[in-house]
Amino acid sequence: MIMPGASCETRATAEEIALHTLRTMRQVVPPAVPGIMFLSGGQSEEEATINLNTMNSLADSGLREFRAPWSLSFSYGRALQSSVLNLWKYVDTLSPPNFLMHHSTL
C-alpha cells in the first residue's frame, strides 16, 4: 500500500491510500497477475482492514481508472486474528467469535 512513512506527521485517509495504491499498481502490475496480497506494514488491525476494504471498494466501483484486474487481499493474519486471540485470553469463550464477526464487517 502506498502511504506516508511512520515519521510523517500528516496521515493519509483510506481513500487517498486506495487512490495512490491502485493508480500505481495499474501502471506497474501486469493484468495477468492473479492477485496481490498485502502485508500489514506496521498498520493497526483496524487501519489495515479499512485500507484494504477501501481499495476493494474503489477497484469495484466501475471507475475505469481504478478498476483492478487482480484480486486484492490480506497476506497477514494479524489484521483478522490478533484482537480476537488477545480477547480470548481474558474473556469467556462466547465473546471472541462475536468480536471476530464484527471485525470482519469493517
Side-chain angles (χ1 to χ4, degrees), residues 1 28 68 85 87 91 100:
M1 292 181 198
V28 299
L85 293 174
L87 187 63
V91 182
L100 179 59

Side-chain angles (χ1 to χ4, degrees), residues 5-72:
S7 63
C8 183
E9 293 181 14
T10 305
R11 303 303 304 162
T13 66
E15 290 77 17
E16 291 171 322
I17 292 167
L19 289 169
H20 291 291
T21 302
L22 288 173
R23 186 175 291 138
T24 300
M25 289 189 329
R26 282 184 50 89
Q27 292 174 1
V28 299
V29 178
V33 171
I36 299 170
M37 307 303 130
F38 289 93
L39 298 172
S40 61
Q43 299 174 72
S44 70
E45 300 166 29
E46 188 170 345
E47 184 181 21
T49 303
I50 289 169
N51 287 338
L52 180 59
N53 185 54
T54 304
M55 272 194 288
N56 274 311
S57 295
L58 183 59
D60 293 338
S61 70
L63 296 173
R64 182 180 169 94
E65 180 182 4
F66 301 107
R67 189 172 43 217
W70 351 261
S71 295
L72 304 173

Side-chain angles (χ1 to χ4, degrees), residues 68-89:
W70 351 261
S71 295
L72 304 173
S73 188
F74 292 112
S75 180
Y76 48 92
R78 185 173 61 121
L80 299 175
Q81 302 172 355
S82 183
S83 293
V84 175
L85 293 174
N86 286 332
L87 187 63
W88 237 311
K89 291 182 207 175

